[in-house]
């Protein structure tokens, strides 16, 4: 089988690229669709649940799908620098693709509220990293102001090319399953991704590649759930810093996905998020970041209300890799046991657990 060429090459016919578009790729996409094997412990009745593990993308999140498109188009248009606001993953991805393209990247992030791995990525890829004493919504407002004054290409998901790239995840789910799922669950922050998936599913349906459309299920963190409460949240707070957003740019797109698909956008508490996060890692062997686990947390919550039918196919997008946020993993796990450097001392602590 030929090597995967990246999503622009693979789904070219569905994307706004021409022969003049320089394709900037890190061979993103083609991420695994992993069947959950213990999920009946937390979701009833028994459903076929899959994780679309976007943490397997080159920079460790789904943002790479949008970024390959946004940076390729920025290069086609001759941009000298790109800019974004970010809760971390967008900045990591923008920094990586900009490094590859040889274009400057400016990333504006909320001070102190981005996971360590993401900050490290933006820094090592050579982006100009600016921390503001505000949240993501403030940072995005600043970015919008800056692009009015300077010739920077904006690569947040209000850039339509980002949505174009990200919609390919829906194509992949259908190609991997051989049909559409009954339900598609995902975290919602700035709401670009749910907008992109819904566009992707609709396009595949329009082309006759799938026979019907899935029901879209989006989940926000309870402390940052503007779409759920139907008004912006001034001071969003959640342990899932990736979705700590109070005024999503693609609010309208999220409502369309919800309403056209007959779906839901609901809130899950930090406790529910962390419990799902731990379950996915400790029972399913997949390490995602906390925000990603909002998808399964929401599915668990709905299942308790009798939402699903036996045999339903449910896909949960796990948007980012757990390694990006080691602090939360360490915080909710048992600490390592410290002993003397001898066989007997190690054996002593293994008693009652493994021997
Ligand atoms: N999950 C992760 C891991 C994310 O990083 C994000 C968004 C989302 C879910 C939500 O996606 O915004 O399209 O609804 N992160 C952005 C960032 C905001 O700056 O990295 P969304």
């Amino acid at each position: 089988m030929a090597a995967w060429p990246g999503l622009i090459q693979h789904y070219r016919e569905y994307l706004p690229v021409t022969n003049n578009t320089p394709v900037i790729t890190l061979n993103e996409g083609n991420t695994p669709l992993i069947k959950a094997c213990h999920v009946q412990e937390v979701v009833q009745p028994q459903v076929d649940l899959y994780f679309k593990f976007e943490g397997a993308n080159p920079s460790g999140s789904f943002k790479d799908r949008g970024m390959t498109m946004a940076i390729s188009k920025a290069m086609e248009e001759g941009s000298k620098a790109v800019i974004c606001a970010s809760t971390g993953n967008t900045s990591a991805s923008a920094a990586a693709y900009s490094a590859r393209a040889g274009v400057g990247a400016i990333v504006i992030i909320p001070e102190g509220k981005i996971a360590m791995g993401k900050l490290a990525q933006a820094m090592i890829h050579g982006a100009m990293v600016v921390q503001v004493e505000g949240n993501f919504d403030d940072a995005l407002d600043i970015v919008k102001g800056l692009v009015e004054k300077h010739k920077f290409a904006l690569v947040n998901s209000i850039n339509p090319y980002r949505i174009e790239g990200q919609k390919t995840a829906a194509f992949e789910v259908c190609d991997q399953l051989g049909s559409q799922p009954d339900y598609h669950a995902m975290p919602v922050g700035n709401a670009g991704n749910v907008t992109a998936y819904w566009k992707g599913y609709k396009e595949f349906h329009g082309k006759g590649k799938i026979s019907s459309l899935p029901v879209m299920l989006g989940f926000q963190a309870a402390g940052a759930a503007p779409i759920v409460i139907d008004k912006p949240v001034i001071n969003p707070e959640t342990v899932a810093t990736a979705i700590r957003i109070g005024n999503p740019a693609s609010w309208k797109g999220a409502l369309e996905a919800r309403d056209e698909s007959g779906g839901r956008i609901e809130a899950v508490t930090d406790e529910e998020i962390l419990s799902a996060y731990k379950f996915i890692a400790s029972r399913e062997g997949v390490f995602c970041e906390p925000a990603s686990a909002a998808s399964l947390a929401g599915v668990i919550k709905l299942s308790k209300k009798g939402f699903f039918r036996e045999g339903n196919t449910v896909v949960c997008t796990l948007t980012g890799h757990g390694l990006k946020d080691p602090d939360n993993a360490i915080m909710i796990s048992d600490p390592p046991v410290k002993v003397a450097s001898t066989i007997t001392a190690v054996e002593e602590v293994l008693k009652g657990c493994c021997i």
Side-chain angles (χ1 to χ4, degrees), residues 3-340:
W4 174 262
L7 60 85
I8 293 184
Q9 250 348 60
H10 190 81
Y11 290 114
R12 206 177 178 92
E13 64 189 289
Y14 297 92
L15 295 169
V17 288
T18 68
N19 290 338
N20 296 328
T21 313
V23 175
I24 309 297
T25 180
L26 291 164
N27 305 75
E28 57 297 306
N30 196 25
T31 54
L33 188 69
I34 305 168
K35 183 147 193 215
C37 50
H38 296 294
V39 81
Q40 72 280 2
E41 293 168 15
V42 288
V43 177
Q44 286 88 30
Q46 190 144 3
V47 296
D48 282 336
L49 191 138
Y50 296 84
F51 298 117
K52 180 66 170 158
F53 187 42
E54 292 289 273
N57 277 300
S59 86
S61 85
F62 71 96
K63 305 287 180 179
D64 294 348
R65 295 183 183 275
M67 212 52 76
T68 185
M69 276 298 301
I71 302 289
S72 297
K73 294 304 279 189
M75 296 312 285
E76 182 178 344
E77 288 155 13
S79 302
K80 294 284 176 282
V82 308
I83 189 167
C84 66
S86 182
T87 56
N89 281 322
T90 300
S91 59
S93 185
Y97 283 80
S98 299
R100 185 131 179 124
V103 66
I106 307 157
V107 306
I108 316 284
I109 55 175
E111 188 190 9
K113 295 285 185 181
I114 94 164
M116 193 61 81
K118 304 175 188 178
L119 181 61
Q121 288 179 285
M123 290 165 66
I124 193 73
H125 288 304
M128 170 75 194
V129 181
V130 183
Q131 295 188 320
V132 293
E133 293 164 356
N135 58 34
F136 170 84
D137 306 293
D138 303 320
L140 187 55
D141 282 344
I142 291 169
V143 166
K144 285 184 192 159
L146 285 171
V147 295
E148 275 175 23
K149 295 177 68 178
H150 304 276
K151 289 188 105 171
F152 304 142
L154 189 160
V155 295
N156 279 104
S157 59
I158 46 180
N159 176 333
Y161 297 126
R162 280 277 312 276
I163 304 294
E164 290 299 312
Q166 285 172 213
K167 76 185 180 188
T168 62
F171 299 166
E172 279 179 25
V173 167
C174 300
D175 286 342
Q176 290 168 316
L177 279 178
S179 66
Q180 72 290 342
D182 297 315
Y183 295 94
H184 194 120
M186 63 175 66
V188 173
N190 211 26
N193 212 26
V194 69
T195 303
Y197 268 91
W198 185 236
K199 185 168 199 285
Y201 280 125
K202 284 196 293 188
E203 282 185 23
F204 245 33
H205 188 236
K207 296 258 182 193
K209 301 275 257 181
I210 50 177
S211 56
S212 64
L213 289 163
V215 172
M216 302 300 290
L217 306 174
F219 300 101
Q220 302 201 288
I227 299 175
V228 180
I229 64 168
D230 201 23
K231 62 168 193 282
V233 175
I234 309 301
N235 290 310
E237 271 313 335
T238 168
V239 68
T241 51
I243 51 172
R244 185 174 165 268
I245 294 174
N247 191 13
S250 297
W251 195 315
K252 200 167 142 265
L255 294 184
E256 271 171 27
R258 181 193 69 187
D259 298 342
E260 290 175 15
S261 76
R264 306 268 184 106
I265 297 195
E266 298 207 358
V268 282
T269 64
D270 279 6
E271 211 182 352
E272 289 167 326
I273 290 173
L274 290 178
S275 161
Y277 169 64
K278 193 157 191 182
F279 176 86
I280 298 165
S282 63
R283 295 297 287 144
E284 300 289 354
V286 181
F287 190 20
C288 66
E289 63 174 289
S292 305
S295 57
L296 181 64
V299 167
I300 293 171
K301 189 174 173 178
L302 288 180
S303 86
K304 286 185 183 148
K305 297 182 191 161
F307 187 81
F308 300 105
R309 294 286 155 264
E310 187 158 346
N312 280 161
T313 305
V314 183
V315 171
C316 288
T317 300
L318 300 184
T319 44
H321 204 293
L323 286 171
K324 284 171 171 278
D325 190 357
D327 294 341
N328 272 310
I330 290 168
M331 181 189 75
I332 65 155
S333 304
D334 292 335
V337 184
K338 212 167 148 190
V339 296

